[in-house]
């Protein structure tokens, strides 16, 4: 089967048409043919079908090949057009070719018909391919130009030295410049001075040799003189004949950068507040707290100096408590009276005072010491906790400050933190003072009880104070903690508190006690336990009153404890109690000498007393 040829034939002679068809079939073509004789028929055929070629008789009774050619061109059909005629002169053929015909043949010599058609079909395909490529190229160019002209990013073509060749129209929307306004100028003239060297180096590297794109963020001057942050990707296309420039795609990221900076500031400020919170929690020493606090204040508010003044409600003065960043130490400054100067007015009015420029402030608000420090901008914030004035936070900067609302909010938050720290420290001091007074009252009461017992038993007058002092000394020598020493002291003071339950007839009997009386006397440790155990404050001091008559070998009372079953405090006190008793006059014996007492105590080690306690006791200088 041959190649199918879709032929539109303009011919009034059926015989001539058949000759053409025969020749084409002989040439290997399968034909799809429509024959027309008039212009309207030609137009209808062109609209109705898709044709590979048009062959037209040069002259028809009411139509001609040139008219047919004109109609084909008017319809926009790019079809090979061959003129056929029985007799055609050279001039006629040339005229037809000039009019747009692609070839001509003589009907009497159809040998050229098939080669001519083959050639014209091939050239038609090439024309179509070229036209398609041209259309595609124009379409790409149109779309590329539209992309550039409507791109949100700025597209610029630059020379390696920064000279601007071209900028896309988006530059007007982003930076305010007309598209051709920067042409011929150096981009470096519009870059922020701090970043010119970086951009210059970027262009140098980008222009040195083709390579991967280079990225850079930098500030560029807007037409309104503000600075915008651009994120640029720079690509060397100097070796591309269609470009021959450094291509820069730049995007305005100013708002994103500001948002990121704002978020970073917020995170940093939250971290600062956390640091201050942890300091307040961990330490109630205002010196430590203020040192950390002022470090955070100056760092995160970006100011040169800051100070905290504490308010004394009794004197109505503000005292400088801590400072940071001042050239002269603030602790040498005189107290500030309420209502006087900057800090005094802040404290009196209980509201923030802002002075943008001290040089322009009233004389009453121009402290010479701040002027000497070359302070320009001043902020004073009252420190108020639970409705009470605690002090003033002063912020000083040696240049103008243009704070945003977030800065002011953070300053007030910091002031709140400082007020809380001061309030906590004062509450703690007051609590400590109250606790000390309460503890002193407790101890004074206990001493009163012990003196009352001594007065009841005049033979042991002063005994309690002496054994208490020596017991504490011995316990300290044995490395007992300060916390436990408090309870040991109280236990020693109350060691005989149980004797309050012993009748006078037994306690004050001048002669020896009977077995029954001794049984009652040995109950006094139990009475001490029953008296003190219900009192939580004194429960830790029970070891000595309850157990100081227990013996190392288990023969003591009231429970017959032995060795280390006996609380250490009681073992210590037992030695001291016997030492003091032997040093005191009794109706039934005289006072023993020091060496005799020590020898006696040494002899009771491992039976009556803990041998280690005896060893430590004998080393004391009494």
């Amino acid at each position: 089967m041959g190649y199918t040829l879709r032929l539109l034939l303009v011919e009034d002679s059926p015989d001539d048409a058949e000759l053409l068809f025969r020749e084409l079939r002989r040439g290997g073509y399968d034909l799809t043919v429509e024959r027309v004789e008039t212009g309207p028929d030609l137009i209808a055929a062109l609209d109705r079908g898709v044709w590979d070629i048009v062959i037209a008789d040069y002259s028809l009774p009411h139509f001609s090949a040139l008219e047919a050619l004109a109609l084909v061109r008017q319809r926009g059909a790019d079809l090979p057009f061959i003129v056929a005629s029985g007799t055609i002169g050279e001039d006629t053929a040339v005229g037809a070719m000039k009019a747009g015909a692609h070839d001509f043949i003589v009907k009497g010599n159809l040998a050229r018909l098939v080669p001519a058609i083959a050639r014209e079909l091939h050239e038609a395909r090439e024309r179509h391919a070229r036209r398609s490529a041209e259309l595609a190229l124009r379409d790409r160019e149109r779309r590329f130009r539209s992309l550039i002209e409507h791109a949100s990013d700025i597209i610029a073509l630059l020379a390696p030295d920064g000279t601007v060749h071209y900028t896309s129209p988006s530059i007007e929307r982003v930076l305010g410049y007309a598209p051709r306004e920067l042409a011929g100028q150096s981009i470096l003239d519009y870059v922020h001075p701090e970043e010119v060297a970086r951009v210059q180096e970027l262009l140098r590297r980008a222009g040195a040799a083709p390579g991967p794109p280079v990225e850079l963020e930098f500030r560029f001057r807007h037409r309104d003189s503000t600075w915008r942050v651009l994120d640029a990707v720079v690509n060397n296309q100097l070796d591309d004949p269609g470009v021959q420039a450094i291509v820069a795609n730049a995007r305005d990221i100013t708002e994103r950068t500001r948002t990121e900076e704002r978020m970073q500031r917020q995170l940093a400020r939250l971290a600062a507040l956390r640091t201050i919170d942890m300091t307040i929690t961990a330490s109630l020493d205002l010196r430590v707290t203020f040192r950390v606090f002022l470090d955070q204040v100056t760092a995160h508010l970006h100011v040169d100096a800051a100070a905290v003044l504490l308010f004394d409600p009794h004197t109505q003065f503000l005292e400088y408590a801590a400072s940071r960043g001042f050239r002269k130490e603030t602790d040498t400054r005189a107290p500030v009276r309420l209502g006087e100067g900057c800090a005094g007015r802040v404290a009196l009015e209980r509201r923030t005072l802002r002075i943008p420029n001290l040089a322009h402030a009233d004389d009453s608000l121009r402290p010479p010491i701040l002027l000497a420090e070359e302070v320009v901008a001043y902020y004073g914030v009252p420190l108020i906790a639970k409705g009470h004035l605690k002090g003033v936070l002063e912020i000083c900067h040696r240049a103008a400050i243009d704070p945003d609302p977030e800065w002011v909010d953070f300053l007030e938050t910091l002031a709140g933190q400082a007020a809380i720290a001061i309030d906590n420290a004062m509450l703690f001091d007051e609590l400590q003072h109250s606790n000390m007074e309460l503890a002193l009252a407790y101890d004074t009461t206990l001493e009163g009880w012990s003196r009352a017992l001594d007065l009841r038993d005049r033979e042991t007058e002063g005994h309690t104070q002496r054994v208490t002092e020596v017991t504490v000394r011995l316990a300290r020598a044995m490395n007992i903690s300060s916390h436990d020493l408090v309870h040991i002291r109280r236990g020693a003071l109350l060691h005989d508190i149980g004797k309050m339950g012993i009748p006078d007839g037994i306690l004050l009997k001048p002669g020896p006690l009977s077995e029954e009386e001794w049984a009652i006397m040995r109950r006094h440790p139990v009475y001490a336990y029953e008296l003190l155990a219900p009192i939580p404050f004194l429960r830790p001091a029970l070891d000595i009153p309850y157990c100081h008559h227990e013996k190392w070998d288990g023969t003591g009372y009231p429970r017959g404890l032995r060795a280390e079953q006996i609380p250490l405090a009681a073992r210590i006190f037992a030695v001291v109690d016997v030492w003091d008793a032997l040093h005191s006059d009794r109706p039934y014996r005289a006072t023993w000498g020091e060496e005799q007492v020590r020898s006696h105590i040494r002899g009771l080690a491992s039976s009556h007393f803990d041998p280690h306690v005896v060893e430590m006791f004998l080393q004391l200088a009494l």
Side-chain angles (χ1 to χ4, degrees):
M1 180 176 291
Y3 176 77
T4 298
L5 179 68
R6 294 167 296 186
L7 171 63
L8 180 56
L9 180 62
V10 183
E11 177 62 67
D12 62 338
S13 170
D15 293 337
D16 289 349
E18 184 59 33
L19 289 173
L20 289 172
F21 298 158
R22 188 179 302 127
E23 186 67 22
L24 290 173
R25 291 190 185 99
R26 187 182 303 118
Y29 290 106
D30 294 331
L31 297 177
T32 299
V33 179
E34 182 170 352
R35 185 170 66 85
V36 297
E37 298 180 14
T38 66
D41 291 342
L42 175 61
I43 293 172
L46 288 170
D47 292 342
R48 194 165 46 242
V50 178
W51 308 102
D52 294 323
I53 195 166
V54 177
I55 299 177
D57 191 357
Y58 184 77
S59 178
L60 284 78
H62 305 292
F63 199 41
S64 71
L66 295 182
E67 291 175 314
L69 179 60
L71 287 176
V72 170
R73 296 293 178 260
Q74 288 174 9
R75 306 303 288 182
D78 182 17
L79 295 172
F81 194 98
I82 297 177
V83 176
S85 177
T87 57
I88 186 170
E90 184 176 346
D91 292 341
T92 302
V94 171
M97 298 291 285
K98 288 181 177 180
H102 294 93
D103 205 347
F104 63 90
I105 60 173
V106 178
K107 291 181 179 180
N109 182 17
L110 293 180
R112 291 188 58 252
L113 178 61
V114 171
I117 289 177
R119 183 184 66 251
E120 293 306 323
L121 290 176
H122 175 72
E123 290 183 359
R125 285 193 294 271
E126 288 188 346
R127 286 198 307 275
H128 179 72
R130 286 196 302 272
R131 187 175 295 109
S132 296
E134 291 171 358
L135 289 174
L137 179 60
R138 284 198 293 269
D139 183 61
R140 284 197 298 271
E141 289 177 351
R142 178 186 58 78
R143 285 188 284 121
F144 180 68
R145 183 171 297 279
S146 176
L147 180 65
I148 291 177
E149 291 179 351
H150 295 89
S152 58
D153 293 353
I154 300 171
I155 300 174
L157 303 182
L158 309 172
D161 63 358
T163 301
V164 179
H165 294 328
Y166 166 84
T167 59
S168 61
S170 56
I171 193 171
E172 187 166 13
R173 176 181 53 78
V174 177
L175 295 173
Y177 300 101
R180 298 182 180 277
E181 188 172 348
L182 301 187
Q185 301 186 54
S186 174
I187 191 177
L188 300 175
D189 295 338
Y190 295 84
V191 173
H192 194 281
E194 295 177 0
E195 293 159 352
V196 167
R198 286 198 304 136
V199 175
Q200 197 168 28
E201 174 62 17
L202 170 76
L203 292 173
R204 187 196 66 76
R205 286 192 290 117
V214 182
E215 295 187 32
L216 180 69
E217 286 186 14
F218 60 96
R219 286 169 287 177
F220 198 94
R221 188 171 69 245
H222 193 280
R223 207 174 195 286
D224 63 8
S225 297
T226 61
W227 294 103
R228 309 296 292 180
V229 181
L230 300 182
D231 181 16
V233 178
V234 179
N235 190 13
N236 183 348
Q237 292 187 260
L238 293 168
D239 59 339
D240 187 335
V243 182
Q244 293 187 327
I246 295 175
V247 180
N249 290 63
R251 175 172 299 176
D252 184 0
I253 60 168
T254 306
E255 294 308 317
R256 188 187 77 188
T257 302
R258 288 173 180 170
T259 299
E260 291 174 351
E261 290 175 351
R262 184 163 57 250
M263 291 179 65
Q264 289 171 0
R265 283 197 305 270
Q266 289 173 346
L267 289 173
R269 288 170 179 176
L270 286 174
L273 294 175
R274 174 63 176 161
T275 300
I276 294 170
D277 281 340
M278 291 176 65
T279 304
I280 293 173
T281 303
S283 174
L284 289 168
D285 185 340
L286 281 179
R287 292 172 299 177
V288 174
T289 301
F290 286 156
R291 183 167 61 249
V292 174
F293 173 76
L294 291 176
D295 283 343
Q296 300 298 322
V297 167
T298 53
H300 294 284
L301 290 179
H302 304 287
V303 293
D304 293 321
V308 174
L309 296 85
L310 295 180
F311 177 63
D312 186 340
H314 302 293
T315 64
Q316 298 289 294
F317 275 93
L318 292 162
E319 299 276 354
Y320 280 90
S323 65
R324 179 74 73 254
F326 290 100
R327 294 163 183 161
K328 184 178 180 181
E329 294 297 329
T330 56
D331 55 11
T332 62
R333 300 184 186 179
V336 178
R337 187 186 298 276
L338 192 68
E340 294 183 355
C342 297
R345 179 175 294 188
V346 171
L348 179 64
E349 297 179 358
R350 294 193 174 198
R351 61 186 180 88
T352 299
L353 173 64
R354 178 192 179 191
I355 304 176
N357 193 328
L358 277 175
H360 301 154
D362 296 338
D363 290 342
S364 61
L365 297 177
R366 298 172 61 196
I369 195 164
L370 293 184
L371 294 177
E373 291 276 351
E374 298 180 341
V375 171
V376 175
Y378 173 91
Y379 268 85
V381 187
L383 306 179
I384 298 174
K386 301 174 184 176
H388 298 287
L389 178 69
K390 301 298 179 181
V392 171
L393 170 64
E394 289 189 318
I395 302 294
C396 299
H397 196 55
R398 297 184 178 95
I401 299 177
D402 185 19
D404 56 26
E406 288 183 2
W407 189 94
V408 176
D409 289 344
F410 186 57
L411 171 59
E412 292 177 351
T413 302
L414 288 171
Q417 294 290 94
I420 291 171
I422 296 168
D423 188 54
N424 286 350
M426 288 181 173
L427 286 175
F428 181 73
D429 287 343
E430 292 174 2
L431 181 60
Q432 277 193 318
H433 185 69
S434 298
N435 286 341
M436 289 177 62
E437 289 184 342
L438 184 59
L440 181 60
Y442 282 155
D443 287 349
T444 302
T445 300
L446 297 182
E447 290 175 2
W449 288 358
S450 68
R451 282 195 295 272
L453 288 172
D454 283 354
L455 290 173
R456 187 180 178 211
D457 186 2
R458 295 188 179 182
E459 292 182 356
T460 60
E461 186 174 357
H463 164 72
T464 300
Q465 293 297 325
R466 291 193 300 274
V467 295
T468 298
E469 178 186 347
V470 176
T471 298
V472 171
R473 286 180 58 194
L474 178 55
R476 186 177 288 114
M478 295 180 69
N479 296 320
I480 291 178
S481 68
S482 299
H483 177 268
D484 291 334
L485 284 177
V486 172
H487 301 304
I488 288 175
R489 180 178 182 277
R490 291 171 182 165
L493 286 171
L494 298 173
H495 73 281
D496 273 342
I497 191 70
K499 288 183 178 180
M500 292 180 64
I502 304 300
D504 288 351
I506 296 175
L507 183 65
L508 304 179
K509 184 178 180 179
L513 300 179
S514 65
E515 286 299 322
E516 294 80 6
E517 291 171 333
W518 266 117
I520 295 173
M521 179 63 78
R522 290 190 182 99
R523 293 285 299 169
H524 79 270
V526 177
Y527 296 154
Y529 179 84
E530 293 173 348
L531 176 64
L532 300 179
I535 306 173
F537 171 69
L538 295 175
R539 196 174 294 132
L542 267 174
D543 287 347
I544 292 176
Y546 191 29
C547 302
H548 70 284
H549 284 297
E550 302 287 356
K551 296 182 181 179
W552 186 257
D553 59 8
T555 61
Y557 63 89
R559 292 183 290 165
L561 301 177
R562 61 181 298 118
E564 292 183 356
Q565 291 177 337
I566 306 169
L568 178 59
R571 284 182 266 152
I572 292 172
F573 182 81
V575 176
V576 177
D577 190 33
V578 170
W579 168 81
D580 188 75
L582 295 176
H583 269 290
S584 304
D585 283 326
R586 293 290 191 272
Y588 47 85
R589 62 161 174 77
T591 302
W592 287 20
E594 181 64 27
E595 286 304 319
Q596 185 182 5
V597 172
R598 287 177 171 268
S599 177
H600 180 72
I601 289 175
R602 188 179 294 109
L604 294 177
S606 300
S607 60
H608 193 135
F609 304 130
D610 180 343
H612 178 63
V613 174
V614 170
E615 179 183 355
M616 296 299 296
F617 175 79
L618 294 176
Q619 293 177 15
L620 284 181
L622 300 172

